[in-house]
Amino acid sequence: MKPAGIFLRGLAMGAADIVPGVSGGTVAFITGIYPRLLHSLRSFDLAALKLVLAGDIGGAWRHVDGSFLAWLLAGIATSILTLARLFGWLLEHYPEPLWGFFFGLILASTAITPFSSAIRGLISSSTTSGRSLTRSEILIRVA
């Protein structure tokens, strides 16, 4: 994966982290980097410490997939620093569309769950009627 793609995914993760109740991990899952992120974080282990103590900083960097983490964290930080004020304003003035967008991301991440056919039915029924479901409608229909 190219650095620009990792950075953009980090931007999306940071944007999700700004909204209460929405996880950047959900965005990582949806964008397909979740397994790599978990592997990279798990790589901060005894082997990485031994590489650092032996003076092999480059080896430790490669061991933990440091370039991936650096680009991802740069995207997350950039997003948080640039979008926090905007999202605060959007949450205050346009909460439903913003929540709808992020709830849509969460719904997309459920595509592999046993409930995926029911959720796809909700989504297709809302799109064929020509309007989007609000967060409240989805919660009521799923419950």
Side-chain angles (χ1 to χ4, degrees):
M1 184 176 303
K2 295 181 181 177
I6 298 167
F7 181 80
L8 290 173
R9 286 167 174 82
L11 285 175
M13 288 175 66
D17 284 333
I18 293 170
V19 178
V22 181
S23 168
T26 302
V27 174
F29 180 75
I30 292 169
T31 60
I33 62 168
Y34 196 72
R36 185 175 179 184
L37 177 60
L38 288 181
H39 181 267
S40 188
L41 294 175
R42 280 193 308 254
S43 296
F44 284 90
D45 55 9
L46 190 56
L49 181 62
K50 286 179 182 178
L51 289 168
V52 170
L53 293 176
D56 188 4
I57 303 302
W61 183 258
R62 286 185 298 279
H63 179 76
V64 300
D65 201 359
S67 294
F68 168 76
L69 288 176
W71 281 109
L72 191 66
L73 290 174
I76 292 169
T78 300
S79 184
I80 290 172
L81 294 173
T82 59
L83 295 178
R85 185 171 296 194
L86 171 65
F87 277 25
W89 184 84
L90 287 172
L91 275 171
E92 186 176 328
H93 294 91
Y94 300 100
E96 292 231 350
L98 187 64
W99 277 109
F101 171 73
F102 283 105
F103 195 74
L105 291 177
I106 294 167
L107 281 177
S109 70
T110 64
I112 61 170
T113 67
F115 305 107
S116 62
S117 61
I119 292 170
R120 276 195 297 272
L122 284 173
I123 293 169
S124 65
S125 69
S126 71
T127 55
T128 55
S129 68
R131 68 176 189 82
S132 298
L133 292 173
T134 65
R135 178 173 41 127
S136 304
E137 289 173 315
I138 291 171
L139 292 174
I140 290 168
R141 290 186 186 187
V142 170

